[in-house]
Amino acid sequence: MAIKTRTSLRLAIIAAGLSASIVAWAQEPEAAASGKRTNRLLEEVVVTAQKREENVQDVPIAITAFSNEKLDAFGIESAQDLETITPGFTVTSAAGFNVAYLRGVGTDAFLPGADPSVPFYLDGVALLGAQGSSDTLGRVERVEVLKGPQGTLFGRNATGGAINIVTEDPPEEFVGTLKTEFGNYNAESYQLYLGAPITDSIGATVSLFKSHQDLYGRNEIFGEPGPMRDEFAEGARVKIRWDISDTFNATLIGSYGNQFTSNSLSQENTRPSPVLLAGVEPDERDRVWHNNKLGGNSTMNELYGGIFEWLPGPVDVKFIYSENYADVDEAHYDLDSTEKSEAYFYSADQFNNQKTYELQVLSNEDTWLSEHVEWVAGLYRLEGEGGFG
């Protein structure tokens, strides 16, 4: 069977420049056969905000949900982009950490092991405390933004809310997507998604991404080029599902990310401190900074997890295990932001590790009194450590 493909050219304005992206994908067989065009913004969205799949309109909590079609229509590429389409949600970056707020509730703690007040979840696995988690979403099934306290079902100090990212299960036939983007400042980004069945009961998906760009400025030390390093990010995500029987399935997930970002660690000294830098003239706002030390940090993230579902009849049982590691092998910050060696921060071994174990027992349509009540019970254990070696 021939697979129809189409290519579109999209122009978008990004920070400090223009970007052109080219997207190519294989059409869904039904759409290709019928030739009909559908609205990607109007569709039914299924969510798991209450640990079970439900229509978003039937969930009695404040929730904003986006399917893969909606995310693509809005041009959302990363978790940080969600703030542009989610009222009350903001994400900023501090020293390599994502600092998230929902409805003004959050925490600005950005130390290894610090718990966020708006945690991120990937396929039910609680991610680390925003350390280096600024990665590309890639191809996902949906993203759910749960607003308000979610401690009952999500825990992990979800005082302001929770961000639930659900990736797609392996498809029944081969699917491939390639996205590329080019912009000024030598910006390039690539995203590749592949999904295919391996056997009748086993399938897998693979997502790859890579991007890099020059900094939006330059560093000068006494008229000569100062220490600089261009930003880059690369990563991969793998998902394997095995339908062992009609009532039992196992899913293995893994992800890897490696990035260097200068974010707020390379900056102009436009407002010198009157205490430490008395007599230092402020820099002009010209995207030229004068730091005698390199600014930025290099972060590596790894995630491994297993999700096991058993449907014995009157209840559904799910067990989730995960290992999550983050390593900042170098972090530099020229605190005085001048050509002088006044104050400087450097770390060569900043780490954050955690393991989680979660057991869920959920009612279903065969459960006693299911026509009157739905319930979920569970146990959760977290083992974690983080700090500066």
Side-chain angles (χ1 to χ4, degrees):
M1 179 185 69
I3 299 178
K4 293 185 178 180
T5 62
R6 57 180 178 177
T7 303
S8 67
L9 178 65
R10 180 175 60 200
L11 299 178
I13 298 178
I14 61 174
L18 295 176
S19 169
S21 65
I22 301 177
V23 184
W25 66 93
Q27 275 190 297
E28 296 296 332
E30 296 82 357
S34 64
K36 294 181 179 180
R37 304 185 65 178
T38 59
N39 191 327
R40 295 182 292 171
L41 303 181
L42 301 175
E43 58 183 346
E44 177 181 320
V45 178
V46 176
V47 299
T48 52
Q50 299 186 122
K51 301 297 183 180
R52 67 179 77 242
E53 291 190 349
E54 301 171 290
N55 189 315
V56 66
Q57 296 180 345
D58 298 329
V59 179
I61 62 176
I63 178 173
T64 303
F66 305 99
S67 67
N68 177 62
E69 289 289 324
K70 287 186 178 180
L71 295 173
D72 182 69
F74 285 122
I76 303 302
E77 301 289 348
S78 67
Q80 292 69 36
D81 294 339
L82 290 172
E83 68 174 3
T84 63
I85 59 174
T86 307
F89 179 54
T90 60
V91 183
T92 58
S93 180
F97 292 76
N98 287 329
V99 181
Y101 283 81
L102 259 174
R103 293 175 169 176
V105 179
T107 177
D108 58 1
F110 49 89
L111 291 173
D115 286 333
S117 296
V118 183
F120 284 75
Y121 284 80
L122 176 65
D123 289 330
V125 174
L127 301 181
L128 287 170
Q131 186 174 22
S133 61
S134 125
D135 67 335
T136 301
L137 283 174
R139 176 145 174 164
V140 299
E141 181 176 325
R142 64 182 178 275
V143 175
E144 306 165 9
V145 181
L146 314 180
K147 301 179 180 180
Q150 305 295 327
T152 302
L153 294 179
F154 286 87
R156 298 294 287 124
N157 297 335
T159 308
I163 312 299
N164 192 24
I165 303 171
V166 181
T167 62
E168 290 187 339
D169 285 334
E172 296 182 355
E173 58 183 18
F174 176 80
V175 175
T177 302
L178 173 64
K179 292 184 179 181
T180 63
E181 183 173 282
F182 305 92
N184 57 352
Y185 293 92
N186 293 320
E188 297 181 15
S189 68
Y190 307 89
Q191 294 183 43
L192 174 65
Y193 170 83
L194 299 174
I198 300 176
T199 68
D200 292 339
S201 59
I202 302 176
T205 64
V206 177
S207 296
L208 306 174
F209 73 88
K210 184 175 183 179
S211 64
H212 66 85
Q213 70 175 39
D214 299 340
L215 299 182
Y216 296 141
R218 68 182 187 277
N219 189 20
E220 290 185 358
I221 303 295
F222 301 111
E224 299 293 332
M228 290 179 56
R229 184 177 176 184
D230 294 335
E231 297 186 345
F232 78 93
E234 59 185 13
R237 184 178 298 152
V238 178
K239 186 174 188 178
I240 302 174
R241 179 184 171 99
W242 182 15
D243 293 319
I244 302 174
S245 69
D246 293 338
T247 60
F248 186 74
N249 66 77
T251 302
L252 302 179
I253 61 174
S255 68
Y256 163 82
N258 182 28
Q259 65 178 358
F260 178 86
T261 175
S262 63
N263 52 65
S264 59
L265 303 183
S266 290
Q267 58 186 9
E268 298 179 69
N269 189 33
T270 56
R271 293 185 297 172
S273 167
V275 177
L276 297 178
L277 303 176
V280 175
E281 294 295 328
D283 288 343
E284 298 181 3
R285 298 180 183 273
D286 54 4
R287 293 184 183 172
V288 178
W289 58 92
H290 309 279
N291 298 172
N292 66 311
K293 298 292 186 179
L294 178 69
N297 57 64
S298 178
T299 307
M300 182 178 295
N301 293 78
E302 295 181 14
L303 169 66
Y304 309 97
I307 306 169
F308 307 90
E309 294 181 283
W310 180 39
L311 312 176
V315 294
D316 298 339
V317 181
K318 178 185 289 188
F319 178 73
I320 303 175
Y321 171 77
S322 73
E323 297 183 13
N324 208 337
Y325 306 100
D327 178 30
V328 181
D329 58 2
E330 57 175 330
H332 311 261
Y333 190 11
D334 190 351
L335 291 170
D336 58 73
S337 299
T338 69
E339 298 166 320
K340 301 180 180 179
S341 297
E342 300 281 354
Y344 172 62
F345 170 81
Y346 172 72
S347 170
D349 186 11
Q350 182 178 324
F351 67 96
N352 195 359
N353 306 324
Q354 75 175 25
K355 295 181 179 181
T356 64
Y357 313 78
E358 182 175 4
L359 175 65
Q360 300 175 13
V361 181
L362 303 93
S363 66
N364 57 36
E365 59 184 11
D366 297 326
T367 306
W368 183 57
L369 296 180
S370 61
E371 65 274 15
H372 302 294
V373 62
E374 291 182 339
W375 55 265
V376 56
L379 298 172
Y380 187 87
R381 175 177 174 82
L382 166 71
E383 301 172 357
E385 61 177 351
F388 297 87

